[in-house]
Coordinates of all heavy atoms in Angstrom, one line a residue:
V66 N -9.6 -17.6 4.0 CA -10.7 -16.8 4.4 C -11.9 -17.0 3.5 O -11.7 -17.0 2.2 CB -10.4 -15.3 4.4 CG1 -11.6 -14.5 4.8 CG2 -9.2 -15.0 5.4
V67 N -13.0 -17.3 4.0 CA -14.3 -17.4 3.2 C -15.3 -16.6 3.9 O -15.4 -16.6 5.1 CB -14.7 -18.8 2.9 CG1 -15.1 -19.5 4.2 CG2 -15.8 -18.9 1.9
L68 N -16.1 -15.8 3.1 CA -17.1 -14.9 3.7 C -18.4 -15.2 3.0 O -18.7 -14.5 2.0 CB -16.7 -13.5 3.6 CG -17.6 -12.4 4.2 CD1 -17.9 -12.6 5.7 CD2 -17.1 -11.0 3.9
P69 N -19.3 -16.1 3.5 CA -20.5 -16.4 2.8 C -21.5 -15.3 3.2 O -21.6 -14.8 4.3 CB -21.0 -17.7 3.4 CG -20.2 -18.0 4.6 CD -19.0 -17.1 4.5
V70 N -22.3 -14.9 2.2 CA -23.3 -13.8 2.3 C -24.7 -14.3 1.8 O -24.8 -14.6 0.6 CB -22.9 -12.5 1.5 CG1 -23.9 -11.5 1.7 CG2 -21.5 -12.0 2.0
A71 N -25.6 -14.4 2.7 CA -27.0 -14.8 2.3 C -27.8 -13.6 2.0 O -27.9 -12.7 2.8 CB -27.6 -15.6 3.4
R72 N -28.5 -13.6 0.9 CA -29.5 -12.6 0.5 C -30.8 -13.3 0.1 O -30.9 -13.7 -1.0 CB -28.9 -11.8 -0.7 CG -27.7 -10.9 -0.3 CD -27.3 -10.1 -1.5 NE -26.2 -9.3 -1.2 CZ -24.9 -9.6 -1.5 NH1 -24.7 -10.8 -2.1 NH2 -23.9 -8.8 -1.2
G73 N -31.6 -13.4 1.1 CA -32.8 -14.2 0.9 C -32.5 -15.6 0.6 O -31.7 -16.2 1.4
R74 N -33.0 -16.2 -0.5 CA -32.7 -17.6 -0.8 C -31.5 -17.8 -1.6 O -31.1 -18.9 -2.0 CB -33.9 -18.2 -1.5 CG -35.2 -18.2 -0.6 CD -36.4 -18.7 -1.4 NE -36.1 -19.9 -2.2 CZ -36.8 -20.2 -3.3 NH1 -37.8 -19.4 -3.7 NH2 -36.5 -21.2 -4.0
C75 N -30.8 -16.7 -2.0 CA -29.6 -16.8 -2.9 C -28.4 -16.3 -2.1 O -28.4 -15.3 -1.5 CB -29.8 -16.0 -4.1 SG -28.4 -16.2 -5.3
G76 N -27.4 -17.1 -2.1 CA -26.1 -16.7 -1.4 C -25.0 -16.5 -2.4 O -25.0 -16.9 -3.6
S77 N -23.9 -15.9 -1.9 CA -22.7 -15.7 -2.6 C -21.6 -15.7 -1.6 O -21.8 -15.6 -0.4 CB -22.7 -14.4 -3.4 OG -22.8 -13.3 -2.6
M78 N -20.4 -15.7 -2.1 CA -19.2 -15.5 -1.2 C -18.7 -14.1 -1.4 O -18.4 -13.7 -2.5 CB -18.1 -16.5 -1.5 CG -18.4 -18.0 -1.4 SD -18.9 -18.4 0.3 CE -20.0 -19.7 -0.1
G79 N -18.7 -13.4 -0.3 CA -18.2 -12.0 -0.3 C -16.7 -12.1 -0.6 O -16.2 -11.1 -1.2
F80 N -16.1 -13.2 -0.3 CA -14.6 -13.3 -0.5 C -14.2 -14.7 -0.2 O -14.7 -15.4 0.7 CB -13.9 -12.4 0.5 CG -12.4 -12.3 0.3 CD1 -11.9 -11.6 -0.7 CD2 -11.6 -13.0 1.2 CE1 -10.5 -11.5 -0.9 CE2 -10.2 -12.9 1.0 CZ -9.7 -12.2 0.0
V81 N -13.3 -15.2 -1.1 CA -12.6 -16.5 -0.9 C -11.2 -16.2 -1.2 O -10.8 -15.7 -2.2 CB -13.1 -17.6 -1.9 CG1 -12.3 -18.8 -1.7 CG2 -14.6 -17.9 -1.7
G82 N -10.3 -16.4 -0.2 CA -8.9 -16.0 -0.4 C -8.0 -16.9 0.4 O -8.3 -17.3 1.6
L83 N -6.8 -17.1 -0.1 CA -5.7 -17.9 0.5 C -4.4 -17.1 0.3 O -4.2 -16.5 -0.7 CB -5.6 -19.2 -0.1 CG -6.7 -20.3 0.1 CD1 -6.5 -21.5 -0.7 CD2 -6.7 -20.7 1.6
A84 N -3.6 -17.2 1.3 CA -2.2 -16.6 1.2 C -1.5 -17.4 0.1 O -1.8 -18.6 -0.1 CB -1.5 -16.8 2.5
P85 N -0.6 -16.8 -0.6 CA 0.0 -17.4 -1.8 C 0.7 -18.8 -1.4 O 0.6 -19.7 -2.2 CB 1.1 -16.4 -2.2 CG 0.5 -15.1 -1.8 CD -0.3 -15.4 -0.5
E86 N 1.2 -18.9 -0.2 CA 1.9 -20.1 0.1 C 1.0 -21.3 0.4 O 1.4 -22.4 0.5 CB 2.8 -19.9 1.3 CG 2.1 -19.5 2.6 CD 2.0 -18.0 2.8 OE1 2.1 -17.2 1.8 OE2 1.8 -17.6 3.9
W87 N -0.3 -21.0 0.5 CA -1.3 -22.1 0.7 C -2.1 -22.4 -0.5 O -2.9 -23.3 -0.5 CB -2.3 -21.6 1.8 CG -1.7 -21.5 3.2 CD1 -1.2 -20.4 3.7 CD2 -1.5 -22.6 4.1 NE1 -0.7 -20.7 5.0 CE2 -0.9 -22.0 5.2 CE3 -1.9 -23.9 4.1 CZ2 -0.6 -22.8 6.3 CZ3 -1.5 -24.7 5.2 CH2 -0.9 -24.1 6.3
R88 N -1.8 -21.8 -1.6 CA -2.6 -22.0 -2.9 C -2.1 -23.3 -3.6 O -0.9 -23.7 -3.4 CB -2.4 -20.8 -3.8 CG -3.1 -19.6 -3.2 CD -2.9 -18.4 -4.1 NE -3.5 -17.2 -3.4 CZ -3.2 -16.0 -3.7 NH1 -2.4 -15.7 -4.7 NH2 -3.7 -15.0 -3.1
G89 N -3.0 -23.9 -4.3 CA -2.6 -25.1 -5.1 C -2.8 -26.4 -4.4 O -2.5 -27.4 -5.0
A90 N -3.3 -26.4 -3.2 CA -3.5 -27.6 -2.5 C -4.9 -28.0 -2.3 O -5.3 -28.9 -1.5 CB -2.8 -27.5 -1.1
G91 N -5.9 -27.4 -3.0 CA -7.3 -27.7 -2.9 C -8.0 -27.0 -1.7 O -9.2 -27.3 -1.4
L92 N -7.3 -26.2 -1.0 CA -7.9 -25.5 0.2 C -9.0 -24.6 -0.2 O -10.0 -24.4 0.5 CB -6.9 -24.8 1.0 CG -5.8 -25.8 1.6 CD1 -4.7 -24.9 2.3 CD2 -6.5 -26.7 2.6
A93 N -8.9 -23.9 -1.3 CA -10.0 -23.0 -1.8 C -11.3 -23.7 -2.0 O -12.4 -23.3 -1.7 CB -9.6 -22.2 -3.0
R94 N -11.1 -24.9 -2.6 CA -12.3 -25.8 -2.8 C -13.0 -26.1 -1.5 O -14.2 -26.1 -1.4 CB -11.9 -27.0 -3.6 CG -13.1 -27.9 -3.9 CD -12.6 -29.2 -4.6 NE -11.7 -30.0 -3.8 CZ -10.4 -30.2 -4.1 NH1 -9.9 -29.7 -5.2 NH2 -9.7 -30.9 -3.3
E95 N -12.2 -26.5 -0.5 CA -12.7 -26.9 0.8 C -13.4 -25.7 1.5 O -14.4 -25.8 2.1 CB -11.6 -27.4 1.7 CG -11.1 -28.8 1.2 CD -10.0 -29.3 2.1 OE1 -10.0 -29.1 3.4 OE2 -9.1 -30.0 1.6
L96 N -12.7 -24.5 1.4 CA -13.3 -23.3 1.9 C -14.7 -23.0 1.3 O -15.6 -22.6 1.9 CB -12.4 -22.1 1.8 CG -11.2 -22.1 2.8 CD1 -10.3 -20.9 2.4 CD2 -11.7 -21.9 4.2
L97 N -14.7 -23.0 -0.1 CA -15.9 -22.7 -0.8 C -17.0 -23.7 -0.4 O -18.2 -23.3 -0.2 CB -15.7 -22.7 -2.3 CG -16.8 -22.4 -3.2 CD1 -17.4 -21.0 -2.8 CD2 -16.4 -22.4 -4.6
A98 N -16.7 -25.0 -0.3 CA -17.6 -26.0 0.1 C -18.2 -25.7 1.5 O -19.4 -25.9 1.8 CB -17.0 -27.4 0.0
L99 N -17.3 -25.3 2.4 CA -17.8 -25.0 3.8 C -18.7 -23.8 3.7 O -19.7 -23.7 4.4 CB -16.6 -24.7 4.7 CG -15.8 -25.8 5.1 CD1 -14.5 -25.4 5.8 CD2 -16.6 -26.7 6.1
G100 N -18.4 -22.8 2.9 CA -19.2 -21.6 2.8 C -20.6 -22.0 2.2 O -21.6 -21.4 2.6
L101 N -20.6 -22.9 1.2 CA -21.8 -23.3 0.6 C -22.7 -24.0 1.6 O -23.9 -23.9 1.6 CB -21.6 -24.2 -0.6 CG -21.0 -23.5 -1.8 CD1 -20.6 -24.5 -2.9 CD2 -22.0 -22.4 -2.4
A102 N -22.1 -24.8 2.5 CA -22.8 -25.5 3.5 C -23.4 -24.5 4.5 O -24.6 -24.7 4.9 CB -21.9 -26.5 4.3
E103 N -22.7 -23.4 4.8 CA -23.2 -22.4 5.7 C -24.4 -21.7 5.1 O -25.4 -21.4 5.7 CB -22.2 -21.4 6.1 CG -21.2 -21.9 7.1 CD -20.2 -20.8 7.5 OE1 -20.6 -19.6 7.6 OE2 -19.1 -21.1 7.8
L104 N -24.3 -21.4 3.8 CA -25.4 -20.8 3.1 C -26.7 -21.7 3.1 O -27.8 -21.2 3.3 CB -25.0 -20.4 1.6 CG -24.0 -19.3 1.5 CD1 -23.5 -19.1 0.1 CD2 -24.6 -18.0 2.0
A105 N -26.5 -23.0 2.8 CA -27.6 -23.9 2.8 C -28.3 -24.0 4.2 O -29.5 -24.0 4.3 CB -27.1 -25.3 2.4
A106 N -27.4 -23.9 5.3 CA -28.0 -23.9 6.6 C -28.7 -22.7 6.9 O -29.7 -22.7 7.7 CB -26.8 -24.1 7.6
A107 N -28.4 -21.6 6.2 CA -29.1 -20.3 6.4 C -30.3 -20.2 5.5 O -31.0 -19.2 5.5 CB -28.1 -19.1 6.1
G108 N -30.7 -21.3 4.8 CA -31.9 -21.3 4.0 C -31.7 -20.9 2.5 O -32.7 -20.8 1.8
C109 N -30.5 -20.8 2.1 CA -30.2 -20.5 0.7 C -30.3 -21.7 -0.2 O -29.7 -22.8 0.2 CB -28.8 -19.9 0.5 SG -28.6 -18.3 1.2
D110 N -31.1 -21.7 -1.2 CA -31.2 -22.8 -2.1 C -30.6 -22.5 -3.5 O -30.7 -23.3 -4.4 CB -32.6 -23.4 -2.3 CG -33.6 -22.3 -2.8 OD1 -33.2 -21.2 -3.1 OD2 -34.8 -22.6 -2.8
R111 N -30.0 -21.3 -3.6 CA -29.3 -20.9 -4.9 C -28.0 -20.2 -4.5 O -27.9 -19.7 -3.4 CB -30.2 -20.0 -5.7 CG -31.4 -20.6 -6.3 CD -32.3 -19.6 -7.0 NE -33.0 -18.8 -6.0 CZ -33.2 -17.5 -6.2 NH1 -32.9 -16.9 -7.3 NH2 -33.8 -16.8 -5.2
Y112 N -27.1 -20.3 -5.4 CA -25.8 -19.7 -5.2 C -25.4 -19.0 -6.5 O -25.5 -19.6 -7.6 CB -24.8 -20.7 -4.8 CG -23.4 -20.2 -4.8 CD1 -23.0 -19.4 -3.7 CD2 -22.4 -20.6 -5.7 CE1 -21.7 -18.9 -3.6 CE2 -21.1 -20.1 -5.7 CZ -20.8 -19.3 -4.6 OH -19.5 -18.8 -4.6
A113 N -25.0 -17.8 -6.4 CA -24.5 -17.0 -7.6 C -23.2 -16.3 -7.2 O -23.2 -15.7 -6.1 CB -25.6 -16.1 -8.1
D114 N -22.2 -16.3 -8.0 CA -21.0 -15.6 -7.7 C -20.3 -15.2 -9.0 O -20.7 -15.5 -10.1 CB -20.1 -16.4 -6.9 CG -19.6 -15.7 -5.6 OD1 -19.3 -14.5 -5.8 OD2 -19.6 -16.3 -4.6
R115 N -19.1 -14.5 -8.8 CA -18.4 -14.1 -10.0 C -16.9 -14.1 -9.6 O -16.5 -14.0 -8.5 CB -18.8 -12.7 -10.4 CG -18.6 -11.6 -9.3 CD -19.2 -10.3 -9.7 NE -20.6 -10.5 -9.6 CZ -21.4 -9.8 -8.7 NH1 -20.9 -8.9 -7.9 NH2 -22.7 -10.0 -8.7
T116 N -16.1 -14.0 -10.7 CA -14.7 -13.9 -10.5 C -14.2 -13.2 -11.8 O -14.9 -13.2 -12.8 CB -13.9 -15.2 -10.3 OG1 -12.6 -14.9 -9.9 CG2 -13.9 -16.1 -11.5
D117 N -13.0 -12.7 -11.8 CA -12.3 -12.1 -13.0 C -12.3 -13.2 -14.1 O -12.0 -14.4 -13.8 CB -10.9 -11.6 -12.6 CG -10.3 -10.9 -13.8 OD1 -9.6 -11.6 -14.6 OD2 -10.5 -9.7 -13.9
V118 N -12.5 -12.8 -15.3 CA -12.5 -13.7 -16.4 C -11.1 -14.4 -16.6 O -11.0 -15.5 -17.1 CB -12.9 -12.9 -17.7 CG1 -11.8 -11.9 -18.1 CG2 -13.2 -13.9 -18.8
H119 N -10.0 -13.8 -16.1 CA -8.7 -14.4 -16.2 C -8.3 -15.2 -15.0 O -7.2 -15.7 -14.9 CB -7.7 -13.3 -16.4 CG -8.0 -12.5 -17.7 ND1 -7.8 -13.0 -18.9 CD2 -8.4 -11.2 -17.8 CE1 -8.2 -12.1 -19.8 NE2 -8.5 -11.0 -19.2
N120 N -9.1 -15.3 -14.0 CA -8.8 -16.0 -12.7 C -9.1 -17.5 -12.9 O -10.1 -18.1 -12.3 CB -9.6 -15.4 -11.5 CG -9.1 -16.0 -10.2 OD1 -8.4 -17.0 -10.1 ND2 -9.6 -15.3 -9.2
E121 N -8.3 -18.2 -13.6 CA -8.5 -19.6 -13.9 C -8.5 -20.5 -12.7 O -9.4 -21.4 -12.6 CB -7.3 -20.2 -14.8 CG -7.4 -19.6 -16.2 CD -8.6 -20.2 -17.0 OE1 -9.1 -21.3 -16.7 OE2 -9.2 -19.5 -17.8
P122 N -7.7 -20.3 -11.6 CA -7.8 -21.1 -10.4 C -9.2 -21.0 -9.8 O -9.8 -22.0 -9.3 CB -6.7 -20.5 -9.5 CG -5.7 -20.0 -10.4 CD -6.5 -19.4 -11.5
M123 N -9.8 -19.8 -9.8 CA -11.1 -19.7 -9.2 C -12.2 -20.3 -10.1 O -13.1 -20.9 -9.6 CB -11.5 -18.2 -8.9 CG -12.6 -18.1 -7.9 SD -12.2 -18.7 -6.3 CE -13.8 -19.4 -5.8
W124 N -12.0 -20.2 -11.4 CA -13.0 -20.9 -12.3 C -13.0 -22.4 -12.0 O -14.0 -23.1 -11.9 CB -12.6 -20.7 -13.7 CG -12.9 -19.3 -14.3 CD1 -12.1 -18.3 -14.4 CD2 -14.2 -18.9 -14.7 NE1 -12.8 -17.2 -14.9 CE2 -14.1 -17.5 -15.1 CE3 -15.5 -19.5 -14.7 CZ2 -15.2 -16.8 -15.5 CZ3 -16.5 -18.7 -15.2 CH2 -16.4 -17.4 -15.6
R125 N -11.8 -23.0 -11.8 CA -11.6 -24.4 -11.5 C -12.3 -24.7 -10.2 O -12.9 -25.8 -10.0 CB -10.2 -24.9 -11.6 CG -9.6 -24.9 -13.0 CD -8.3 -25.6 -13.1 NE -7.3 -25.0 -12.2 CZ -6.5 -24.0 -12.6 NH1 -6.6 -23.5 -13.8 NH2 -5.6 -23.5 -11.8
T126 N -12.1 -23.8 -9.2 CA -12.7 -24.0 -7.9 C -14.2 -24.1 -7.9 O -14.8 -24.9 -7.3 CB -12.1 -23.0 -6.9 OG1 -10.7 -23.0 -6.8 CG2 -12.7 -23.2 -5.5
F127 N -14.8 -23.1 -8.6 CA -16.2 -23.1 -8.8 C -16.7 -24.4 -9.4 O -17.7 -25.0 -9.0 CB -16.7 -21.9 -9.7 CG -16.7 -20.6 -9.0 CD1 -16.2 -19.5 -9.6 CD2 -17.1 -20.4 -7.7 CE1 -16.2 -18.2 -9.0 CE2 -17.1 -19.2 -7.0 CZ -16.7 -18.1 -7.7
A128 N -16.0 -24.8 -10.5 CA -16.4 -26.1 -11.2 C -16.3 -27.3 -10.3 O -17.1 -28.2 -10.3 CB -15.6 -26.3 -12.4
A129 N -15.3 -27.3 -9.4 CA -15.0 -28.4 -8.5 C -16.2 -28.6 -7.5 O -16.4 -29.7 -7.0 CB -13.7 -28.3 -7.8
V130 N -16.9 -27.6 -7.2 CA -18.0 -27.7 -6.2 C -19.4 -27.7 -7.0 O -20.4 -27.6 -6.3 CB -18.0 -26.6 -5.2 CG1 -16.7 -26.7 -4.3 CG2 -18.2 -25.2 -5.7
G131 N -19.3 -27.9 -8.3 CA -20.6 -28.1 -9.0 C -21.2 -26.8 -9.6 O -22.3 -26.9 -10.1
C132 N -20.5 -25.7 -9.6 CA -21.1 -24.5 -10.2 C -21.0 -24.6 -11.8 O -20.1 -25.2 -12.3 CB -20.3 -23.3 -9.8 SG -20.4 -22.9 -8.1
R133 N -22.0 -24.0 -12.4 CA -22.1 -24.0 -13.8 C -21.9 -22.5 -14.3 O -22.4 -21.6 -13.7 CB -23.5 -24.4 -14.3 CG -23.8 -25.8 -14.1 CD -25.2 -26.2 -14.6 NE -26.2 -25.5 -13.8 CZ -27.2 -24.7 -14.3 NH1 -27.2 -24.5 -15.6 NH2 -28.0 -24.1 -13.6
F134 N -21.2 -22.4 -15.4 CA -20.9 -21.1 -16.0 C -22.2 -20.6 -16.7 O -22.8 -21.3 -17.6 CB -19.8 -21.2 -17.0 CG -19.6 -19.9 -17.8 CD1 -19.0 -18.8 -17.2 CD2 -19.9 -19.9 -19.1 CE1 -18.8 -17.7 -17.9 CE2 -19.7 -18.7 -19.9 CZ -19.1 -17.6 -19.3
L135 N -22.7 -19.4 -16.4 CA -23.9 -18.9 -17.1 C -23.6 -17.7 -18.0 O -24.4 -17.5 -18.9 CB -24.9 -18.4 -16.0 CG -25.4 -19.5 -15.1 CD1 -26.4 -18.9 -14.1 CD2 -26.1 -20.6 -15.9
G136 N -22.5 -17.0 -17.8 CA -22.2 -15.9 -18.7 C -21.2 -15.0 -18.1 O -20.8 -15.2 -17.0
I137 N -20.8 -14.0 -18.9 CA -19.8 -13.1 -18.5 C -20.5 -11.8 -18.2 O -21.3 -11.3 -19.0 CB -18.8 -12.8 -19.6 CG1 -17.9 -14.1 -19.8 CG2 -17.8 -11.7 -19.2 CD1 -16.9 -14.1 -20.8
E138 N -20.2 -11.2 -17.1 CA -20.8 -9.9 -16.6 C -19.7 -8.8 -16.9 O -18.6 -9.0 -16.6 CB -21.1 -10.0 -15.1 CG -21.6 -8.7 -14.6 CD -21.8 -8.8 -13.1 OE1 -22.9 -9.3 -12.7 OE2 -20.9 -8.4 -12.3
H139 N -20.2 -7.8 -17.5 CA -19.3 -6.6 -17.8 C -19.5 -5.5 -16.8 O -20.6 -5.2 -16.5 CB -19.5 -6.1 -19.2 CG -19.3 -7.1 -20.3 ND1 -18.0 -7.3 -20.7 CD2 -20.1 -7.9 -20.9 CE1 -18.1 -8.2 -21.7 NE2 -19.3 -8.7 -21.8
T140 N -18.4 -5.1 -16.2 CA -18.5 -4.0 -15.2 C -17.9 -2.8 -15.8 O -16.8 -2.8 -16.4 CB -17.7 -4.4 -13.9 OG1 -18.2 -5.6 -13.4 CG2 -17.7 -3.3 -12.9
L141 N -18.6 -1.7 -15.7 CA -18.2 -0.4 -16.3 C -17.8 0.5 -15.1 O -18.4 0.5 -14.1 CB -19.3 0.2 -17.1 CG -19.9 -0.6 -18.2 CD1 -21.1 0.0 -18.8 CD2 -18.9 -1.0 -19.2
T142 N -16.7 1.3 -15.3 CA -16.3 2.2 -14.3 C -16.1 3.6 -15.0 O -16.0 3.7 -16.2 CB -15.0 1.8 -13.6 OG1 -13.9 1.9 -14.6 CG2 -15.0 0.4 -13.1
R143 N -16.0 4.5 -14.1 CA -15.8 5.9 -14.6 C -14.9 6.6 -13.6 O -15.2 6.5 -12.4 CB -17.1 6.6 -14.8 CG -17.0 8.0 -15.3 CD -18.3 8.5 -15.6 NE -18.3 10.0 -15.6 CZ -19.2 10.7 -15.9 NH1 -20.3 10.2 -16.4 NH2 -19.1 12.0 -15.9
E144 N -13.8 7.2 -14.0 CA -12.9 7.9 -13.1 C -13.5 9.0 -12.4 O -13.3 9.2 -11.2 CB -11.6 8.4 -13.9 CG -10.8 7.2 -14.5 CD -10.2 6.4 -13.4 OE1 -9.7 6.9 -12.3 OE2 -10.2 5.2 -13.6
D145 N -14.3 9.8 -13.1 CA -14.9 11.0 -12.5 C -16.4 10.7 -12.2 O -17.2 10.7 -13.1 CB -14.8 12.2 -13.4 CG -15.5 13.4 -12.9 OD1 -15.9 13.4 -11.7 OD2 -15.7 14.4 -13.6
A146 N -16.7 10.3 -11.0 CA -18.0 9.9 -10.6 C -19.0 11.1 -10.6 O -20.2 10.8 -10.6 CB -18.0 9.3 -9.2
H147 N -18.6 12.3 -10.7 CA -19.5 13.4 -10.6 C -19.8 14.0 -12.0 O -20.4 15.1 -12.1 CB -18.9 14.5 -9.7 CG -18.7 14.0 -8.3 ND1 -19.7 13.7 -7.5 CD2 -17.6 13.7 -7.7 CE1 -19.2 13.3 -6.3 NE2 -17.9 13.3 -6.4
G148 N -19.3 13.4 -13.0 CA -19.7 13.8 -14.4 C -18.7 14.7 -15.0 O -18.8 15.2 -16.0

């Protein structure tokens, strides 16, 4: 499954996922490339995305389609949203 999301001229993938039995065969790279082509057709000339710092397979997938690492984003959460 791949879910490209265009936001103006910048796109991202809302989701890239494969069932465990399909992993390791380069299919995620193909899905991501298809999603990037859809974003380009929608007028996106930039792409920005993220993955967990420990998700090595996705890091390799991003690199395989030409993405460059720009930095680590920190996400903060709070159990009690009401203070």
Side-chain angles (χ1 to χ4, degrees):
V66 175
V67 65
L68 179 62
V70 178
R72 292 184 180 94
R74 293 178 43 207
C75 186
S77 66
M78 296 301 150
F80 185 77
V81 176
L83 289 169
E86 62 269 20
W87 291 94
R88 294 178 186 161
L92 295 174
R94 181 183 62 248
E95 290 181 34
L96 285 173
L97 184 56
L99 286 171
L101 290 171
E103 286 188 32
L104 290 172
C109 295
D110 59 4
R111 290 177 288 143
Y112 173 74
D114 230 321
R115 64 188 69 116
T116 192
D117 185 272
V118 68
H119 301 290
N120 189 347
E121 289 292 327
M123 196 64 216
W124 283 102
R125 288 192 302 272
T126 301
F127 284 139
V130 298
C132 294
R133 292 180 295 122
F134 174 74
L135 296 179
I137 294 177
E138 177 180 279
H139 297 277
T140 302
L141 305 173
T142 68
R143 184 173 156 169
E144 292 297 320
D145 177 12
H147 300 291

